[in-house]
Amino acid sequence: MDTSSKENIQLFCKSSMQPVGRPSLTTEYSSSKEKQQCCGELKVFLGALSFVYFAKALAEGYLKSTITQIERRFDIPSSLVGVIDGSFEIGNLLVITFVSYFGAKLHRPKIIGTGCLIMGVGTLLIAMPQFFMQQYRYEKYSPFSNSTLSISPCLLESDNQLPISIIEKSQSKRSDGCVQTVAIIGPIFGFLLGSLCAKLYVDIGFVNLDHITITPKDPQWVGAWWLGYLIAGIVSLLAAVPFWCLPKSLPRPRSREDSNSSSEKSKFIMDDRTEYQTPHGEKSKIMEMARDFLPSLKNIFGNPLYLLYLCASTVQFNSLFGMVTYKPKYIEQQYGQSASKANFVIGLINIPAVALGIFSGGIVMKKFRISLYGAAKLYLGSSVLGYLLFLSLFALGCENSDVAGLTISYQGTKPVSYHERALFSDCNSRCKCSETKWEPVCGDNGITYASACLAGCQTSTRNGQTMMFYNCTCVGIAASKSGNSSGVMGRCQKDNGCPKMFLYFLVISVITSYTLSLGGIPGYILLLRCIKPQLKSFALGIYTLAIRVLAGIPAPVYFGILIDTSCLKWGFKRCGSRGSCRLYDSNAFRHIYLGLTVMLGTVSIFLSIAVLFTLKKNCVSKHRSFRTKREGTMVSTTIRKENCTTDDHLLQPNYWPGKETQL
């Protein structure tokens, strides 16, 4: 609170000293004016803070939605994409502990505003590689935009004179709960923005889109991943503006200073002048706060309930961060959906279910006035039920696509073991094919081939964006109902039951997201009430730091490393090094992705059980201590009555045994 605000409060306090029964009009007017000013500033603060949460959540949600786009654009594996995703949290590692400790005692709004500026600039920097790198290149057949010219994808040994120009390269490139609710809305818009940008070509605005021969359904398609970062960065910069116009702290209205009905969050936001001032009313010194840093840290970690809850939350967030990061990729690879559709269903279905779950948990806590012990049970119950529902997703997967030489043989009669996987066969032995290329062709027999050359196709024609291949020798040797030996550019669709499985997956995923989110508010209340009031800001900072450093950073990395082990076909960069994965083993991907999530969730459940038992033990010990003190007070009172009968003045009418021990 600045000096002028303090002087106004002191002036108000002096003018409010009026005789009983003679209220002053000036006092009433000043009180009303102070309340209006305080409420107005509080609303502005909450609105601005909500917008900051929205901006941050928008950027985080959009980052998750661009995982597969970045992977294809820069031709990198999932493990490296996990490092990029985890690095979003590294900045918090450097400053969050000190900001949470000193920020509560310094100018909070300006600190928040500075953070918004840094966040905005950082988000804009993510998009910069697009403007310094060469345009995205993809490999296709036939350089003609609309041609029926027949050319041979299969380069026979005698066809060395065929010019390389047959390969086309692209030439282009309310106050309680409102902040948390807005923070959930942010990822919704983030994923929806990701869905929109995924439909736009990566080099939109730099090339003539009429020359682009691939569509968003093509495995080589890369959307305009960079465009959303520009939007999110500008939003973050705009979010910083209001905080430079707010005072250092908000004065608490006199009518509510001693009210027990004020919420935890309002007490947290409002300034308590007695906490951070010396007896003479001077401002706290930086060195004095620094000397109190280590004792405060020891006090927090000496709380077993806080420590156990911190561990349980960290493990659970490991499972949730890893699951959310690779969920779009899982939907694409498991159910054959496009990146745009995957982001759309997550943003429009899954995240609203999370918001509804958090809101429902808060309603339950308020309506039924659930105790702290009850909140812990609700937190545990939602986790148990949520992960039990998650187990059912193991049965809702799709089988591997039939890819010649990778999942089935070229004859299409048997699965291929790992050591037998080979992209070459007798049917394409005369073709000079590259095994590093991934330009999938769907044959009339329903089998996908890594390229038209590996399918043994002799001729090809193109009409618009449709590329057809004919006289494909490898297609002809496999069983085919039509007897044709032709194919079309692109991967074959998953089996007929896969769309139905995808629908079931969405239903179970929404229910699971809602169930797990029910424990969000009970867990947050448990966190706030298990620590001392003067340490709330510091403890919340440590909690956020632990979640980000021990879950937000490592989870995407080791999830990505394990997911990479399920890759069947790796791509290669022009320099010869390994690039991104072109095809995954659907069964292995499903077991790794879902199994790791459930395993971490199970560990967090056991830690939550330990939290519940610790809380119950503390409640029982406090209750026994309370009864012992009350009985001792009653005995002491009886002795005084018997031995000091003349001291009747000690027995005041408003005194009762054990009054001092009442909470």
Side-chain angles (χ1 to χ4, degrees), residues 50-273:
S50 298
F51 190 51
V52 169
Y53 268 66
F54 172 81
K56 181 178 179 297
L58 173 68
E60 286 188 278
Y62 185 76
L63 175 64
K64 304 291 184 186
S65 72
T66 58
I67 289 296
T68 56
Q69 306 293 313
I70 293 175
E71 185 176 331
R72 292 175 190 160
R73 176 63 180 91
F74 300 100
D75 209 10
I76 55 179
S78 298
S79 55
L80 186 53
V81 174
V83 174
I84 296 174
D85 182 84
S87 65
F88 193 82
E89 309 289 353
I90 291 179
N92 294 281
L93 173 63
L94 303 176
V95 298
I96 193 170
T97 303
F98 299 99
V99 169
S100 63
Y101 182 72
F102 294 106
K105 307 178 182 184
L106 301 176
H107 202 299
R108 303 180 195 178
K110 288 187 178 180
I111 292 178
I112 298 175
T114 303
C116 291
L117 291 176
I118 297 174
M119 182 173 67
V121 173
T123 306
L124 292 174
L125 287 175
I126 299 177
M128 289 301 104
Q130 172 66 21
F131 304 96
F132 297 104
M133 294 182 63
Q134 62 180 357
Q135 296 174 355
Y136 176 60
R137 300 184 176 214
Y138 60 94
E139 297 182 357
K140 285 295 178 190
Y141 300 101
S142 176
F144 307 102
S145 61
N146 191 354
S147 174
T148 58
L149 177 65
S150 296
I151 59 175
S152 178
C154 176
L155 305 181
L156 301 179
E157 293 181 359
S158 61
D159 294 338
N160 292 337
Q161 71 277 11
L162 192 64
I164 193 142
S165 60
I166 66 169
I167 300 178
E168 177 193 6
K169 312 271 186 208
S170 164
Q171 300 177 355
S172 48
K173 304 200 264 119
R174 213 166 173 196
S175 70
D176 292 339
C178 70
V179 173
Q180 299 293 335
T181 302
V182 173
I184 294 297
I185 297 177
I188 296 178
F189 283 88
F191 276 96
L192 293 179
L193 181 61
S195 176
L196 175 63
C197 293
K199 293 181 179 180
L200 305 175
Y201 185 66
V202 58
D203 291 321
I204 185 174
F206 300 94
V207 297
N208 187 350
L209 297 182
D210 293 335
H211 296 163
I212 305 303
T213 60
I214 57 176
T215 66
K217 293 184 179 180
D218 194 284
Q220 296 188 84
W221 176 269
V222 175
W225 61 273
W226 52 273
L227 184 59
Y229 289 110
L230 295 181
I231 297 174
I234 294 173
V235 171
S236 297
L237 293 177
L238 293 176
V241 175
F243 290 98
W244 300 95
C245 306
L246 289 172
K248 179 180 178 181
S249 57
L250 303 179
R252 188 192 304 273
R254 292 179 58 85
S255 60
R256 296 186 62 184
E257 281 185 352
D258 299 325
S259 174
N260 294 325
S261 61
S262 57
S263 66
E264 294 273 359
K265 196 168 293 183
S266 63
K267 291 179 181 178
F268 182 73
I269 296 175
M270 293 292 190
D271 178 56
D272 189 355
R273 301 190 304 273

Side-chain angles (χ1 to χ4, degrees), residues 462-574:
R462 177 170 167 262
N463 187 7
Q465 292 185 339
T466 302
M467 177 76 72
M468 295 295 299
F469 301 93
Y470 305 98
N471 301 325
C472 304
T473 57
C474 294
V475 177
I477 66 172
S480 176
K481 295 181 180 180
S482 63
N484 294 333
S485 59
S486 61
V488 63
M489 181 62 69
R491 291 172 59 176
C492 297
Q493 295 295 322
K494 292 271 187 174
D495 56 86
N496 295 331
C498 200
K500 197 174 183 179
M501 286 294 184
F502 180 55
L503 181 61
Y504 293 153
F505 168 82
L506 290 180
V507 173
I508 298 298
S509 180
V510 167
I511 298 175
T512 302
S513 300
Y514 175 81
T515 305
L516 288 172
S517 302
L518 276 175
I521 294 298
Y524 185 74
I525 296 300
L526 179 62
L527 174 65
L528 286 178
R529 293 184 181 177
C530 72
I531 52 182
K532 296 179 180 180
Q534 64 269 25
L535 295 176
K536 281 183 182 179
S537 176
F538 192 29
L540 287 173
I542 293 175
Y543 175 82
T544 306
L545 175 67
I547 294 299
R548 296 185 180 280
V549 174
L550 302 180
I553 295 176
V557 177
Y558 63 77
F559 262 80
I561 292 174
L562 293 175
I563 288 174
D564 280 342
T565 61
S566 65
C567 183
L568 295 176
K569 176 69 173 69
W570 287 100
F572 290 88
K573 301 179 181 179
R574 297 179 182 273

Side-chain angles (χ1 to χ4, degrees), residues 405-469:
L406 294 176
T407 61
I408 62 171
S409 66
Y410 271 86
Q411 290 73 26
T413 57
K414 63 176 182 178
V416 178
S417 60
Y418 182 80
H419 67 279
E420 293 177 335
R421 288 173 188 154
L423 292 175
F424 298 105
S425 179
D426 293 337
C427 62
N428 58 28
S429 59
R430 295 180 65 243
C431 301
K432 298 178 62 177
C433 304
S434 171
E435 63 178 341
T436 64
K437 301 294 183 182
W438 179 250
E439 301 158 356
V441 172
C442 178
D444 285 337
N445 54 7
I447 298 177
T448 300
Y449 298 87
S451 67
C453 183
L454 289 171
C457 300
Q458 304 299 318
T459 59
S460 68
T461 60
R462 177 170 167 262
N463 187 7
Q465 292 185 339
T466 302
M467 177 76 72
M468 295 295 299
F469 301 93

Side-chain angles (χ1 to χ4, degrees), residues 14-25:
K14 292 179 180 179
S15 62
S16 63
M17 297 298 293
Q18 299 291 334
V20 178
R22 297 179 60 184
S24 170
L25 294 175

